[in-house]
Amino acid sequence: MEPPGQDDKYDRDQHQRMQDADHSSTGLALPPVRAVPPRRVLHWLAMGWRDFVRVPLASGLHGMIVAAGGMLILLLGLRYWYLIPGAISGFVLVGPILATGLYELSRHLERGEQPGLDVAIAAWRRGTRPLVWLGLVSALAGTLWVLLSAILLALFVTAPITGLNSLLRHVVLSEGSNLFPIWMALGGFGAALLFAVTVVSAPLMLDRDIDFISAVWASVRAVSESPVTMALWALVIAAATGLAMVTAMVGFVVMIPVIGHATWHAYRDVVDASALPPRADH
């Protein structure tokens, strides 16, 4: 990874003091986090694309799996229209945990190795306890969002919904109610919370021997240290997801690998985990 330039103005002493303060207040041994400027987002994307090109088959398979899952949800939603809002939102919310294999590929590329699909599969099989907990939290968030969407429909939509047209009319256009703005606001709040706890915690737990709570707290601290940069990164992910959906999910074949690899480099940029013991490969 390229070392941060002097113009990035990292204040290491300040971050060490923050680490000491966090350790004393929470009792957790937390890795230091760095404040990074918004332009680093472009660097993450460039590195993500570079990793994708270097291992296109292994990376592309992750994208194809997500694209196939998205198509299945779309087809299911077209037949059972009432599942569309919650299913798509839940699918987006649990996305970060699906990229674990991509993080492992980037980790090996960073070492100068040329990994294959077996490396990504090994990362999924390894399934350390903290990563399992993160997956459960993400899955729970998606399930709760499905339930909340159903409750909102029951509370705000009084007209019968008989198909996709009436769904768009009474939910998206919110005729006779304010359902859609409320739904979007709650969904945005939930997505922001999930983003804050997962943006660097998943690659951190894959890379280093750290417990679930410490990794999540480090992720939240990384967001609080660089709020503008992380907000921009979240917008980039949201925009890329939207573009992939517009292409009938086909865009996920490229979007998922690039964003997944880029997330690894974002983690390496904002978290100094050198003091933590590395996670064993086996």
Side-chain angles (χ1 to χ4, degrees):
M1 184 188 70
E2 296 180 6
Q6 293 182 352
D7 59 343
D8 291 337
K9 298 180 180 179
Y10 296 129
D11 188 345
R12 298 185 183 277
D13 292 336
Q14 178 184 1
H15 289 299
Q16 185 62 52
R17 289 194 297 271
M18 290 176 60
Q19 181 194 21
D20 294 340
D22 279 336
H23 186 280
S24 62
S25 62
T26 65
L28 301 174
L30 301 176
V33 297
R34 309 182 185 97
V36 295
R39 63 179 176 273
R40 295 298 290 177
V41 170
L42 295 177
H43 173 74
W44 301 341
L45 289 172
M47 296 294 285
W49 176 257
R50 188 197 67 173
D51 286 357
F52 173 47
V53 172
R54 292 175 67 184
V55 283
L57 295 180
S59 296
L61 180 62
H62 289 75
M64 287 186 281
I65 291 173
V66 174
M71 291 177 184
L72 181 61
I73 290 176
L74 180 60
L75 293 174
L76 183 66
L78 290 176
R79 181 166 183 177
Y80 304 101
W81 52 264
Y82 47 85
L83 295 178
I84 293 178
I88 292 181
S89 299
F91 175 73
V92 173
L93 286 172
V94 300
I97 199 61
L98 300 178
T100 306
L102 296 168
Y103 305 151
E104 185 74 344
L105 290 170
S106 286
R107 182 166 75 144
H108 282 259
L109 287 171
E110 194 175 75
R111 297 173 178 173
E113 303 170 6
Q114 188 61 36
L117 182 59
D118 59 317
V119 167
I121 294 175
W124 280 99
R125 287 179 175 175
R126 193 159 65 244
T128 61
R129 182 177 298 178
L131 283 169
V132 171
W133 274 111
L134 186 62
L136 290 175
V137 168
S138 299
L140 178 61
T143 301
L144 290 176
W145 182 239
V146 171
L147 294 175
L148 179 59
S149 297
I151 292 172
L152 289 175
L153 284 173
L155 291 176
F156 286 90
V157 180
T158 57
I161 299 179
T162 57
L164 184 58
N165 290 334
S166 58
L167 176 69
L168 294 174
R169 177 181 176 184
H170 294 292
V171 177
V172 178
L173 299 179
S174 300
E175 291 188 4
S177 73
N178 294 315
L179 171 59
F180 194 66
I182 294 173
W183 186 73
M184 288 294 291
L186 291 175
F189 178 73
L193 287 178
L194 192 63
F195 174 81
V197 302
T198 61
V199 61
V200 296
S201 60
L204 173 58
M205 286 187 288
L206 178 75
D207 185 39
R208 298 289 168 167
D209 190 3
I210 186 172
D211 63 274
F212 172 72
I213 299 298
S214 297
V216 166
W217 187 240
S219 185
V220 172
R221 288 176 58 238
V223 173
S224 66
E225 274 293 286
S226 306
V228 176
T229 303
M230 288 303 180
L232 177 60
W233 182 228
L235 288 174
V236 168
I237 295 174
T241 301
L243 289 174
M245 288 184 170
V246 168
T247 63
M249 310 299 176
V250 175
F252 280 121
V253 174
V254 175
M255 174 266 180
I256 288 296
V258 173
I259 294 296
H261 289 306
T263 297
W264 168 264
H265 293 286
Y267 148 67
R268 296 287 285 154
D269 216 6
V270 303
V271 179
D272 180 6
S274 58
L276 298 174
R279 179 79 64 183
D281 287 340
H282 301 289

